[in-house]
């Protein structure tokens, strides 16, 4: 999972692509809500298509998790995107990184 911590007055947003796209974007610590959404959506769009809002938060930590399975063409799963298929992308937030 990708995690980020922020101050209490900051805004954050998480966008993710629809499976099997590995695209996601997360903005943390933005000065306003619109800036957080814009930054997260643009980051996601740079990585792939079909981006949609997964979570938004204020004064909290954010995280993105992706479920994967081995590609039918790969013998093992590695960090190479050709060896796996993203089955789900989820985003969430909590008061601190542990949550």
């Amino acid at each position: 999972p990708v995690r980020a911590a922020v101050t209490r007055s900051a805004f954050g947003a998480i966008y993710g692509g629809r499976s099997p796209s590995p695209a996601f974007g997360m903005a943390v610590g933005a000065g306003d809500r619109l800036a957080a959404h814009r930054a997260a959506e643009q980051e996601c769009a740079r990585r792939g298509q079909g981006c949609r809002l997964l979570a938004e938060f204020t004064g909290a930590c954010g995280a993105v998790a992706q479920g994967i399975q081995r590609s039918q063409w790969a013998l093992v799963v590695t960090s190479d995107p050709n060896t796996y298929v993203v089955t789900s992308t989820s985003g969430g937030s909590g008061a601190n990184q542990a949550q």
Side-chain angles (χ1 to χ4, degrees), residues 41-67:
E41 187 174 27
Q42 287 174 349
E43 182 182 348
C44 183
R46 279 193 297 273
R47 296 178 177 189
Q49 297 178 336
C51 295
R52 68 200 190 288
L53 178 65
L54 299 177
E56 79 172 12
F57 44 93
T58 305
C61 296
V64 175
Q66 291 183 318

Side-chain angles (χ1 to χ4, degrees), residues 12-95:
I14 301 171
Y15 279 72
R18 297 190 188 280
S19 300
S21 172
F24 73 91
M26 180 167 57
V28 179
D32 65 63
R33 185 173 177 240
L34 182 59
H37 280 268
R38 187 177 303 128
E41 187 174 27
Q42 287 174 349
E43 182 182 348
C44 183
R46 279 193 297 273
R47 296 178 177 189
Q49 297 178 336
C51 295
R52 68 200 190 288
L53 178 65
L54 299 177
E56 79 172 12
F57 44 93
T58 305
C61 296
V64 175
Q66 291 183 318
I68 62 169
Q69 71 180 34
R70 183 179 57 84
S71 168
Q72 65 178 341
W73 310 112
L75 295 175
V76 295
V77 175
T78 68
S79 61
D80 180 353
N82 292 317
T83 65
Y84 61 86
V85 175
V86 174
T87 58
S88 64
T89 301
S90 299
S93 64

